[in-house]
Amino acid sequence: MKLDNVFKKTRLSSGRKGYISLSSARPEVPEGLLRKCNKCGSAIIAEDVKNDHYICPKCGGYFRVHAYRRIEMVTDAGTFEEWDTGLATPNPLEYKGYEEKLGALRAKTGLDEAVVTGKAQIDGMEVVIGVCDGRFLMASMGEVVGEKIARAVERASKERLPVILFACSGGARMQEGIISLMQMAKTSAALKRHSDAGLLYISVLTDPTTGGVTASFAMLGDVILAEPKALIGFAGPRVIEQTIGQKLPKGFQRSEFLLEHGFIDGIVERPQMKETLAQILMLHKQGNIEAEHSDDRDDADGNTGEARDQNEGFGKLSVNNQLASGWDRVQLSRMNDRPVGSDYIRELFTDFIEFHGDRYFADDKAVIGGIALFRGMPVTVIAQAKGTNTRENIERNFGMPSPDGYRKALRLMKQAEKFHRPVICFVDTPGAFCGLEAEERGQGEAIARNIYEMSGLRVPVLSVIIGEGGSGGALAMATADEVWMLENSIYSILSPEGFATILWKDSSKAKEAADVMRLTAEDLYRMGIVEEVLAEPSPYTIENLKEVTRVLESKLERFLSRYGKMSCDELTQRRYDRFRKL
Amino acid sequence: MIKKVLIANRGEIAVRIIRACREMGIETVAVYSEADKEALHAKLADEAVCIGPASSSESYLSMDRIISATIITGADAIHPGFGFLSENSKFAELCEQCNITFIGPDSKVIAKLGNKQEARNTMVSAGVPVIPGSTEAIYDSRTGAQAAQEIGYPVIVKAALGGGGKGMRVANTPEEFEHSFQTAQKETQMAFGDNTMYIEHFVQRPRHIEFQILADKYGNVVHLGERDCSIQRNHQKMIEESPSAALSEELRKKMGEAAVKAAKAAGYQNAGTIEFLLEKNGNFYFMEMNTRIQVEHPVTEWVTGIDLIKEQIRIASGRKLPFTQEDIKLNGHAIECRINAENPAKGFRPSPGTITDMYLPGGKGIRVDSAIYSGYTIPPYYDSMVAKLIVWAKNRREAVQKMQSALGEVIIEGIDTNVDYQYEILNRPDYLSGDIDIEFIAENEEALREALQ
């Protein structure tokens, strides 16, 4: 039965033709009650947006947040103390109408300039915070913005506090011309001094971060976070499109694009921003093993490291199965269900936070790196990452790092050095990725650079080979104070297949190769390449991972306490000697 | 007076409201989801606006879309029906902010009565009986036994963090208390990692008795008698009637007065329902107040002769109640059966689909409120209630007979319904005698299943 237009409509009482309401209050949506989401276009109730971190309840898109609201959202209530208000904005170009424009903006927004700076607490930890406010000339950086940031950073350096800057800016302020350009140098220089003083700077990029701000303070964080889908770039997308005459791909210059290209450490959803900042601050608050151990450097047991070495070094061969052949071990080291790097991170550490990107080209998923706590002590953890299934393995390129992976590892190691954190590496790679792109971006250079820099790293470095230790790709994360191996892991100049190909021109002779290469933990231990060999249960899977990590954990603790006591010079000298004698 | 109403609902209640408006010369606007293009309410209204996809959260629950539809069509009031946004204080507040008349109580009153603790406190201070319970957290059985004595047996020991029946035990006598308390507390510790207990009078086999009230903007409140909604399955009402076989004239007066007191204490306006639990000994306790029109309102309409939807609109327009308590007389007996598209043989699984053929009963004392028609496809996204069959006769016995007769005439082809199940309920001796309580369905389940085969 079709019911279209079959029913009679309401008959209005006689004389009423339409109507004029008696009350003057006609139904209407009052100003400000509803807003239109600029992302998905739907109407949303303004209060819902305010109550939910200024996120559209329909599409999850982010609205821009005013500076003071942002400070409220990420700091402890009532702890913010504002600094440097009321600085006069100059008009160096005597640009017509500039003062009037500023006056009008001040009246409208209640802000005195485009950035708010000051001191606050996050979970009780003191920080210096600066937040750009896009309502004020798109938070472009003129002299006052540069000055406020520089002053805040300088004061943070003096008070030895971490700095957090929330960037949101169109770039340099055109109206102030070359003076604006100089703010890029001023802020960057202040941050350089802050960093040289061994202090932390977290940069948070929000929509939009472009131009001279991207090309200065925004990109200089020890840790760079971004909000989802924020526009981040140097040249604006429209300018690029006009210049090159091409349409830009979807998602170009968004946070996700930057993450993929290695320029940010992570994307953090707004509701999690405060806890993420707190976690990073916490991981940097403790630390400084040098300072902690400086008192007992000439420690009571009176032994120098070397003396101890003779007593107990190279005395820890603990294997369950001495009969397995080289080839057996090769196969065991490649077993699909063997625990992988991420399993060890989860099992041995707490509060792990992963950081991404090499800051040059990409984020290599074959390497996982970040900071975590080991028994309360912050450490930098880096693992060559195989996957636990085929899909994950494809994503992680079967644990074969690209140059970007080594550069990410190095970046995190240099950061560990800055903050005096020990570095713990888990090695598990068939070898560095062998491919066109890898060569284009300098695979050899990346490996060399890692070996070179690691040899002089002024913090303790430990490498544990948990599976395959394939050639230079492994050494680039194993130029360490000590290298340990799991019983059925291998470490060699090349894969047995490669070895057979080069020497015998026949890759099918890999089995024979494995037996002559001396690539087992036992061989390497006897040759003095590794210091410890850890026994494995058989078969070794995630189920009994704890049997290994329990031993690893107590050995790790001993390693950290022993090497943590050494001076930086002693550490690097020993590391130098370790390889010098081979 | 309201001139144009937008009905923020669907199904038979939307149809019911459109009809009331039409009779009053008020224009109507229906809103519908993409799945309800062919729904009767959308066809019947003077105008219809599509407000989004099938999912309720994006259509019938989307406040901004409904508000926008109201403004665009120039309606000056919204009737929320029941379910969906009808008891959403935020929606009522939005209407207030937009100068749209929300046909229902004030948003603040909805919020207050929607909060269980606040509602209870309001009733306690107004002198409306609530289920007696311990006022403080209880951690040990000795203090508990004392509290139980004051409250009066039987009592139920509950986990303060409770839910899902975990950590709940009934103690009928002081002797049983120690054991019940210990067991409940142990369970609570296991389930919630906490041992905070709460003790409440256990209302044994109560009837669900609710009182309809109407309140205007001038402080006049009347009650329109009760509805007995004890026939429930999993807290879903199936059959409602008015008056209740369990209420004497005296008890009706007492409970009615309590209901009026409750409404006044809450500052209530418009139509509302106060739900009570009634014990066999005649004690009754406030459960909650529903701040909307209810599914079962037709039984009250029939025994009082008052059109509740029209009264709602008049009250919202600022009119005074045209009657006082003395004018309200309950005449005869009305019963309502909810007809659901569901299969009782398959665990009452919803049975959406196309109605291929249909015949509904009629005649003296029979009313059908429905939104179905031959060829209509019941979408799977919403409540399975598709029609209500209401009968009236001069006494309960005749009303039950009329209902049976009417149910026996219902033909709905193409989908499964609970019509036969309802028919069998009416056949149960306990139902016929009027000796019902909220355990009725649970107790008769087996017998009903057998009768259906």
Side-chain angles (χ1 to χ4, degrees), chain A residues 50-281:
Chain A
K50 258 184 219 157
N51 294 338
D52 186 24
H53 301 88
Y54 295 84
I55 298 172
C56 171
K58 298 269 168 71
C59 70
Y62 279 36
F63 286 90
R64 285 177 195 158
V65 183
H66 302 169
Y68 291 104
R69 247 332 256 132
R70 173 80 73 177
I71 291 169
E72 272 174 42
M73 277 160 59
V74 298
T75 62
D76 301 344
T79 60
F80 181 65
E81 161 200 322
E82 190 169 354
W83 290 348
D84 302 312
T85 52
L87 302 187
T89 307
N91 190 357
L93 306 187
E94 289 169 12
Y95 188 80
K96 211 166 145 245
Y98 186 43
E99 277 104 349
E100 291 77 6
K101 174 121 197 169
L102 291 173
L105 276 171
R106 286 193 181 108
K108 190 177 163 213
T109 62
L111 294 163
D112 74 331
E113 249 291 352
V115 69
V116 176
T117 58
K119 184 156 84 172
Q121 291 180 8
I122 297 177
D123 277 9
M125 294 172 277
E126 281 211 320
V127 292
V128 169
I129 187 168
V131 180
C132 298
D133 195 314
R135 290 174 299 167
F136 203 96
L137 286 174
M138 206 41 251
S140 56
M141 180 161 64
E143 190 191 316
V144 173
V145 170
E147 181 66 21
K148 284 180 84 168
I149 289 175
R151 284 192 193 185
V153 173
E154 284 166 359
R155 199 163 151 189
S157 307
K158 212 167 113 206
E159 298 186 22
R160 300 202 64 79
L161 290 175
V163 172
I164 299 175
L165 296 179
F166 277 83
C168 160
S169 177
R173 190 171 291 174
M174 292 305 132
Q175 291 89 334
E176 292 183 30
I178 191 79
I179 297 293
S180 268
L181 190 70
M182 294 306 122
Q183 304 312 311
M184 293 165 66
K186 181 154 100 186
T187 52
S188 301
L191 285 164
K192 171 73 172 136
R193 286 198 168 184
H194 186 72
S195 178
D196 288 348
L199 296 166
L200 175 68
Y201 164 41
I202 305 171
S203 174
V204 187
L205 314 181
T206 68
D207 186 65
T209 300
T210 56
V213 165
T214 306
S216 63
F217 70 85
M219 280 296 171
L220 296 172
D222 294 298
V223 178
I224 305 178
L225 304 175
E227 288 196 330
K229 298 196 180 74
L231 175 74
I232 303 162
F234 180 58
R238 242 170 314 158
V239 176
I240 301 176
E241 268 183 4
Q242 280 165 12
T243 309
I244 63 174
Q246 285 173 22
K247 221 50 204 127
L248 294 171
K250 204 166 177 290
F252 180 72
Q253 287 185 322
R254 295 287 163 182
S255 307
E256 296 71 17
F257 172 91
L258 270 89
L259 183 68
E260 197 184 316
H261 286 275
F263 292 106
I264 56 177
D265 283 293
I267 294 174
V268 181
E269 296 275 356
R270 211 172 263 171
Q272 279 81 49
M273 185 58 82
K274 186 180 177 186
E275 59 188 270
T276 306
L277 291 173
Q279 189 186 354
I280 296 169
L281 290 171

Side-chain angles (χ1 to χ4, degrees), chain B residues 243-295:
Chain B
S244 166
L247 264 62
S248 63
E249 202 46 56
E250 191 191 350
L251 184 55
R252 178 168 301 117
K253 190 159 180 284
K254 211 167 127 191
M255 291 180 78
E257 279 167 3
V260 168
K261 213 153 48 172
K264 281 187 172 161
Y268 201 84
Q269 283 173 25
N270 216 293
T273 298
I274 292 103
E275 293 186 349
F276 294 108
L277 289 180
L278 175 66
E279 263 178 326
K280 294 231 169 6
N281 60 12
N283 286 344
F284 61 92
Y285 310 104
F286 169 84
M287 242 191 331
E288 61 178 7
M289 180 157 184
N290 297 320
T291 59
R292 54 172 157 81
I293 193 70
Q294 289 195 257
V295 177

Side-chain angles (χ1 to χ4, degrees), chain A residues 1-4 7-12 16 19 25-30 33-34 43-45 48 58, chain B residues 3 22 25-27 38 40 43-46 64 71 74-76 90 94 97-100 373-374:
Chain A
M1 187 161 52
K2 274 271 163 239
L3 295 186
D4 291 322
F7 296 118
K8 295 208 166 40
K9 300 303 180 193
T10 303
R11 180 186 296 201
L12 303 183
R16 182 155 73 86
Y19 57 90
R26 294 280 301 141
E28 60 175 1
V29 180
L33 184 76
L34 289 180
I44 39 186
I45 295 159
D48 288 353
K58 298 269 168 71
Chain B
K3 301 286 193 301
R22 185 153 294 161
I26 296 170
E27 288 177 280
E38 299 302 320
L40 187 58
K43 301 290 177 193
L44 208 52
D46 297 322
D64 51 278
I71 306 275
D76 47 10
K90 206 173 133 202
L94 269 179
Q97 286 170 331
C98 297
N99 275 320
I100 298 165
Y373 55 85
S374 194

Side-chain angles (χ1 to χ4, degrees), chain A residues 468-479:
Chain A
E468 293 181 89
S471 188
L475 182 62
M477 275 176 55
T479 311

